Each structure stands twice: as structure tokens, then as C-alpha cells.
Amino acid sequence: MHQSTLFALFTSLTSVLAHPGPANASTKCPIVFDGRIKTTTELTDFDSYGTSIFNPDYVKGQNLKWSQIIKFPTDAGNSRFDNETHKPFEVTLSDQSIFQTQKGFRRAGLQFQGDTNTGSPGSTGVKTLHFSVKLDPTRPLNLSHEYLNVWHEASDYSANQFNFEAGTILGQTNLPKDTWKILNRQNKQIWSTPIDKNAWQNFAITIDYSKNTLQVYYSKGDEPLKSVTSAVSNNNAGAGQYQIGMLKKPTGTSDVVNSGYQSSRLNEGLIYGGLFLEDSAGGCISL
């Protein structure tokens, strides 16, 4: 083998060893709300308005603090839009995950600080919500249930403008349970993809509050996001707030808020990364 060829192979191997992970993507548009977690963040930082980038009071079990709900996984790696200054976080559910009197649900939903129920800068113009998710094999989801994971709820709590879901959708058992699903305001699926048990899966949803449309983008691992739908018609009226986490619906009831079956000794979780809302005026979007 020629000396030049050996040198080229050595250089290539050195480069791979020096950079074992893929390069993380940069944001391209003005950020409205940044939900990416700094590596210096402590769990107790989630419990105070002075230290949390989220609302420390909502939406969670009444006797729980966010520092008891959030976990920092050590072996998940970083998602596409998390750089060396960020780390992933995990939202978990337990038997204590009962919000107010909603005994049918098990839920823990983070809300951005500043994302007010009315007059929020996140509910005007054209905005794109970015998030990446990854399964935790030690806290598996029970996909015989329906899970809301990311959604935007109208200010009067009468509807969600969109839902990002997993599991068995109540009343729509024809939809596979082992897929991530984007549902519109009418709770109809507009796109889905199989749940990957190992990789980060990256999503972006562009909400045009003026034209009343949704558009979905997706990729896996460190691949660039690609549009997987056109801008589809959707009723985005009603203001409201984003929630990120988990809302697990019960089975065996028509009153899902207040009754139904939930297993005991619950220990479930979903890992998040690359969470932010950007201003997509003029067609701007980070891919």
C-alpha cells in the first residue's frame, strides 16, 4: 500500500475518533421561546420562576414539584438542535401525576414562561415549534393508551389546535398504536411515522395563525428536517398555550377526564431535546 494511501486512511480515522458524534444543527430564525436545557441546569431550577424557563406551577400533580418529575438522562446523547451547551431532559409520569381533580388523566405538561393564555407572542403570525423525542427503555410507554405529548390548547380550554400523539387513539383504533401522530383541531390525523425505539426523532410544526394552516417537518437522528406535508388547512383560532410532556388518557370509560383505568405503580417517561419556538415570518425555518 502506498505511503500516501496510508496517510489518508490515518487522517480519516483520526478525524472520526476526534469527532465521534454528528455536528449539531444551528437555529436560523428568531427564537420566541427557548426550551433547550443548559448543561448547568439543576433539577431544582425547574421549581422556581427565577430559575426555570418554564412555568414552575403548571401542569402537574398537585403534590409534586417539577424537580420530582423531570429527569436528566445520561446516555441519550444530544438531539439535532442541542449543542454542547445543552442536555436532554425527560418528563415522567407516576401515580401522583393527577392535575387538580382530573383523576382520569395522568399528566405532566411544561409551559414556556411568557406563553400567556391570551396575548402570547407564540400565538400570532407564523410560528414553528421544534422538538425531538426519544424513548426511555427503562420507562416504557403503554401504547394501549392514548398519549398527548405536545399540543397547543385554546385559551378557553375547549379544543387543541393540534396534538402530537402516540398510542391507541380513543375512537380511532384503526390507527396503528406504535406511531407518532400529528392530529388537527378536529382530532383527525394529518401525518404519522413509526416510533423508533433507539433514535432521536425530530419534528417541527409550522402554525400559521393568519392563514389557518399547519405544516409538518420531520427527520431522524442528525438528518436535516424535511417537509412531510403541505400547508394543510386548520382552525388555529382561540389563542392559548403550548404544552410539552405527557398526558396519558385512561381506558374503559366515556369520561376520560374524571374516570377510567390507569395502571398502578406507574413509571413512564419520554425524553425531549431541541425544544424551541421560532418566528417563521417570511418562510424562515431551521432545518
Side-chain angles (χ1 to χ4, degrees):
M1 184 177 291
H2 294 292
Q3 185 175 359
S4 58
T5 303
L6 286 171
F7 178 79
L9 287 171
F10 176 80
T11 302
S12 176
L13 178 60
T14 302
S15 176
V16 169
L17 292 175
H19 304 281
N24 296 95
S26 300
T27 59
K28 304 296 183 184
C29 316
I31 292 181
V32 182
F33 299 124
D34 197 341
R36 293 173 295 178
I37 305 302
K38 296 293 186 181
T39 55
T40 54
T41 301
E42 303 287 343
L43 288 175
T44 52
D45 290 339
F46 288 89
D47 297 333
S48 168
Y49 281 99
T51 53
S52 181
I53 56 178
F54 302 105
N55 185 330
D57 294 330
Y58 290 91
V59 177
K60 57 182 178 59
Q62 298 300 93
N63 297 317
L64 292 175
K65 295 181 178 181
W66 278 110
S67 58
Q68 298 171 287
I69 301 168
I70 299 293
K71 309 295 180 186
F72 291 144
T74 57
D75 56 357
N78 276 5
S79 63
R80 175 164 173 77
F81 285 101
D82 285 331
N83 61 33
E84 67 279 359
T85 70
H86 303 123
K87 61 184 177 183
F89 65 96
E90 182 171 5
V91 179
T92 66
L93 293 180
S94 69
D95 293 348
Q96 288 73 49
S97 300
I98 300 174
F99 175 64
Q100 296 182 346
T101 60
Q102 298 177 356
K103 294 185 178 180
F105 293 153
R106 299 294 180 267
R107 66 186 299 183
L110 291 162
Q111 298 176 331
F112 298 112
Q113 269 213 54
D115 188 19
T116 51
N117 198 33
T118 58
S120 172
S123 300
T124 61
V126 186
K127 301 296 187 291
T128 299
L129 182 66
H130 287 261
F131 56 94
S132 299
V133 295
K134 193 174 190 180
L135 298 185
D136 179 351
T138 69
R139 296 185 179 90
L141 307 182
N142 180 352
L143 297 179
S144 65
H145 288 253
E146 177 178 353
Y147 292 84
L148 278 70
N149 302 105
V150 179
W151 66 99
H152 191 278
E153 185 173 20
S155 62
D156 64 359
Y157 311 114
S158 64
N160 296 342
Q161 285 92 338
F162 72 85
N163 296 324
F164 170 75
E165 300 201 22
T168 303
I169 309 302
L170 294 174
Q172 302 186 62
T173 54
N174 58 306
L175 300 178
K177 65 181 182 180
D178 55 350
T179 59
W180 299 118
K181 309 163 183 70
I182 309 291
L183 279 63
N184 64 13
R185 192 181 187 122
Q186 288 72 42
N187 214 37
K188 300 301 182 184
Q189 179 177 287
I190 62 175
W191 185 78
S192 69
T193 191
I195 295 174
D196 191 296
K197 294 182 179 180
N198 301 302
W200 280 105
Q201 294 179 267
N202 314 305
F203 300 85
I205 304 173
T206 297
I207 310 104
D208 191 324
Y209 289 97
S210 301
K211 294 183 178 179
N212 281 310
T213 61
L214 297 174
Q215 186 164 3
V216 181
Y217 298 78
Y218 170 75
S219 74
K220 188 184 293 187
D222 195 52
E223 292 297 315
L225 291 165
K226 293 182 179 179
S227 175
V228 291
T229 73
S230 60
V232 298
S233 178
N234 189 63
N235 181 1
N236 295 329
Q241 295 164 297
Y242 299 92
Q243 282 195 48
I244 300 94
M246 288 199 292
L247 186 158
K248 182 183 181 183
K249 293 184 180 181
T251 59
T253 180
S254 59
D255 183 7
V256 296
V257 177
N258 299 301
S259 64
Y261 173 76
Q262 294 277 6
S263 59
S264 59
R265 298 181 180 178
L266 195 62
N267 182 28
E268 300 179 356
L270 185 62
I271 302 170
Y272 283 91
L275 172 63
F276 60 96
L277 183 75
E278 65 185 2
D279 193 329
S280 288
C284 187
I285 182 168
S286 302
L287 300 175

